[in-house]
Amino acid sequence: MSTDINDAFSDADGVETSRNLNNGKNPVMDEADNLHRLTKELSRGGQGVVYRTSIPDIVVKVDLTSDENANERYMDLRLLPIPQGIHITLPIMPLKNEKGYVMRLLDDMESFAVSFSKRSEDEVAPYRTEWLDDIEAGTPNAILFSSLVANGGLRRLFKAYMQAAAILSALHSAGLVYCDFSINNVFVSSDKNYCNVWLIDADNVCFSDQAAKCHWHTPVVAAPEVCSMQKGDSFASDVFAFASSLFQQLLRQHRFEGEAYWEAQNDDDAELEDIDNRRNIGEFAYIFDENNDSNYADIGGIEEFLMPPKLSELFLQTLGIGHRAPGKRPLMSEWAVGLASSLDRVVHCPTCGMDFNFETDNVCPWCDAKHPLLLVRSNYSKELWTFAHEITPKSAVDVPLRIIHGFLRGETTDNLFRILWDGSRLTITLLHNDIDCYTVEEKKINKYETGERCRSGCRRSHCVHTYSHYLIFVHMEG
């Protein structure tokens, strides 16, 4: 028996154990005879339950299926060509005398279901602003907006889903299907200042030809063809489940719950369970389908503020056009690029506390306040990328590396510049050692300061133009 791990279970460890976890079978033992004391349920699905343990960064998945070969299948996952370096947890050791396995997951992480959930009044109180206080308490918009702000805003939501999309895209590029994406299977840093994302529950990851024979899914977000058992899991069903999850966490609204759905719900002769099944298998149209308004949902037009144009287009292609046509859905890589592009246009308004998507100016569409805005654009024969961010005196803004060559999966957290504004001038510091940057006067820079007027004659204040194969324009809108 491995004493170094089991020593963690002494009564002095301070861990309070619930004897009710795992139907009283606690602790559990793995095949190396290590005991794992279950301390908290993290997530639950149709196939099993994931628990925290008293050992830091170790979690246990207990299988609830009837598959007697589950443990053998779990360990076979390590033989799949899963790309190195991607954030997906894999089994370390199967359990002994029951189905399940041990895996690693950092303690400071929580599921998307928790991190982007609807918040209570007490939880949102520290984030309230006068603008938010003007919205009648308890109304759907008050709950939606307050929860969004408390959860880190659009910026954190888009960043987390961008990283999840990058992980799924990497799996797809290796010919692997995840099979059961849901907000319980993807985890993010619990500290709102960080956004580290990992997929767990890799039980069902398999090659696309094997996935086509399976119907693993979470009904509330799953693709209609999988719910109806007409087709098996696929790259396209991964995309649908991903888009459905994002849509519901962004708007607090089901993609298929519109007028037609609610009319069916109000039918006295209808069985509610049957109506929800009809919803899950796609009998009702996407609520924002441009070609079919039979199931339209009026949510007050807030979708125009919360869904940037690129994401609105991807939602339409996935949930509308791709509603019953899996082949017409976009690729997961397209979702990753769309989320990165939308993320880099998110601007936070300090007046109302809301985030908005930059299009043409620095006026907040929620409260009409105007604040200084940092705008960075890159060109390579045509406009390549746009980055917009609020900026205040003595604040630092990190500009992502994708400003010079667009989105790449391996660079989701890499930065090129750090820009500091002291109230009168911008200071640009190069952060990436592998990139050479020059001013338009062909002066190589590691640090660059602007004066009151751009040195390149564009007549903008607080402006600098730099380039390294790509033209990069940095300026303030005040």
Side-chain angles (χ1 to χ4, degrees):
M1 184 175 287
S2 178
T3 55
D4 58 333
I5 292 183
N6 288 314
D7 284 345
F9 298 109
S10 65
D11 291 337
D13 64 9
V15 176
E16 187 175 323
T17 302
S18 170
R19 296 184 181 276
N20 295 324
L21 293 177
N22 194 29
N23 294 320
K25 292 184 287 185
N26 190 10
V28 296
M29 182 179 288
D30 65 31
E31 288 195 347
D33 290 338
N34 299 310
L35 287 173
H36 300 274
R37 181 183 294 168
L38 312 180
T39 60
K40 179 183 179 182
E41 182 176 314
L42 278 181
S43 66
R44 176 180 291 267
Q47 294 175 276
V49 188
V50 177
Y51 296 100
R52 282 272 181 217
T53 73
S54 55
I55 302 178
D57 302 337
I58 294 294
V59 297
V60 166
K61 166 73 178 282
V62 176
D63 188 291
L64 299 179
T65 70
S66 59
D67 182 5
E68 295 302 323
N69 298 316
N71 283 3
E72 182 179 343
R73 178 168 57 85
Y74 292 149
M75 299 317 294
D76 286 345
L77 291 172
R78 303 188 69 87
L79 302 177
L80 293 174
I82 294 175
Q84 285 191 337
I86 71 167
H87 289 187
I88 184 167
T89 58
L90 294 172
I92 301 173
M93 180 75 64
L95 297 181
K96 188 175 185 177
N97 301 324
E98 64 182 302
K99 301 189 298 292
Y101 57 87
V102 179
M103 59 183 167
R104 296 189 186 279
L105 182 69
L106 296 178
D107 283 343
D108 62 349
M109 302 196 78
E110 59 191 13
S111 69
F112 277 23
V114 172
S115 198
F116 300 115
S117 64
K118 183 171 68 175
R119 299 297 175 180
S120 67
E121 287 296 322
D122 289 341
E123 288 176 307
V124 302
Y127 304 94
R128 301 291 297 184
T129 62
E130 284 188 24
W131 183 84
L132 286 171
D133 285 339
D134 286 339
I135 303 174
E136 184 179 349
T139 61
N141 280 356
I143 296 170
L144 169 63
F145 297 156
S146 298
S147 297
L148 185 62
V149 171
N151 291 335
L154 291 179
R155 184 171 286 147
R156 185 166 180 267
L157 181 67
F158 290 170
K159 188 173 185 178
Y161 269 91
M162 174 194 70
Q163 292 191 39
I167 298 169
L168 289 170
S169 177
L171 285 177
H172 289 186
S173 69
L176 300 171
V177 181
Y178 182 74
C179 291
D180 188 18
F181 182 90
S182 79
I183 58 177
N184 288 317
N185 291 344
V186 57
F187 278 63
V188 63
S189 308
S190 54
D191 186 334
K192 301 297 185 288
N193 295 312
Y194 299 92
C195 197
N196 191 19
V197 172
W198 282 78
L199 287 184
I200 69 166
D201 260 10
D203 314 359
N204 305 322
V205 173
C206 58
F207 289 109
S208 57
D209 58 341
Q210 296 170 294
K213 303 171 187 176
C214 304
H215 297 89
W216 289 308
H217 66 284
T218 301
V220 72
V221 295
E225 70 274 8
V226 179
C227 283
S228 65
M229 308 293 282
Q230 292 180 354
K231 291 185 178 180
D233 293 304
S234 64
F235 301 131
S237 66
D238 273 359
V239 171
F240 193 97
F242 174 90
S244 299
S245 300
L246 174 56
F247 187 88
Q248 288 178 220
Q249 292 209 294
L250 178 61
L251 299 178
R252 306 285 168 206
Q253 168 71 41
H254 193 285
R255 62 200 177 278
F256 295 150
E257 291 184 3
E259 292 178 359
Y261 170 82
W262 291 113
E263 284 179 9
Q265 285 271 6
N266 293 328
D267 186 344
D268 293 336
D269 297 326
E271 292 287 340
L272 298 185
E273 185 177 343
D274 178 60
I275 295 170
D276 283 345
N277 182 59
R278 290 172 55 198
R279 176 200 64 190
N280 293 341
I281 65 175
E283 287 193 15
F284 301 105
Y286 171 49
I287 60 171
F288 299 135
D289 194 324
E290 295 178 351
N291 299 313
N292 182 355
D293 63 0
S294 64
N295 196 37
Y296 174 73
D298 184 356
I299 60 173
I302 61 171
E303 70 275 10
E304 296 181 10
F305 297 128
L306 295 177
M307 292 196 325
K310 184 60 179 176
L311 292 191
S312 182
E313 178 185 342
L314 287 167
F315 279 129
L316 178 61
Q317 291 175 353
T318 306
L319 308 177
I321 297 169
H323 179 188
R324 295 188 180 181
K328 293 184 178 180
R329 294 170 197 160
L331 302 175
M332 188 54 69
S333 58
E334 293 178 82
W335 269 103
V337 173
L339 279 158
S341 176
S342 299
L343 166 66
D344 288 349
R345 289 173 173 265
V346 170
V347 177
H348 178 73
C349 176
T351 299
C352 65
M354 295 291 288
D355 292 344
F356 64 93
N357 180 65
F358 169 79
E359 287 298 327
T360 57
D361 56 40
N362 56 333
V363 177
C364 173
W366 299 104
C367 68
D368 295 327
K370 187 175 183 180
H371 298 281
L373 175 76
L374 176 70
L375 188 61
V376 184
R377 298 183 189 272
S378 59
N379 286 276
Y380 186 71
S381 72
K382 62 179 182 179
E383 185 171 310
L384 175 66
W385 205 262
T386 295
F387 174 84
H389 201 287
E390 72 282 354
I391 192 166
T392 56
K394 298 184 179 180
S395 66
V397 175
D398 288 341
V399 180
L401 184 59
R402 52 184 170 268
I403 192 70
I404 62 170
H405 52 213
F407 177 85
L408 293 177
R409 280 200 306 262
E411 298 177 351
T412 57
T413 60
D414 291 355
N415 295 311
L416 176 63
F417 293 133
R418 173 164 293 160
I419 300 180
L420 178 68
W421 181 46
D422 65 6
S424 62
R425 66 179 64 233
L426 294 173
T427 301
I428 301 177
T429 304
L430 190 64
L431 295 179
H432 205 286
N433 294 329
D434 296 332
I435 304 294
D436 289 333
C437 196
Y438 300 81
T439 67
V440 289
E441 296 92 353
E442 299 192 9
K443 176 185 175 183
K444 186 174 180 179
I445 62 168
N446 288 310
K447 186 173 181 179
Y448 187 78
E449 292 187 356
T450 70
E452 286 295 328
R453 287 287 174 185
C454 171
R455 301 178 183 182
S456 304
C458 77
R459 298 178 180 270
R460 291 183 183 273
S461 61
H462 313 303
C463 176
V464 60
H465 297 199
T466 62
Y467 76 90
S468 175
H469 303 297
Y470 308 87
L471 283 175
I472 302 174
F473 305 92
V474 182
H475 65 267
M476 291 275 298
E477 291 197 359

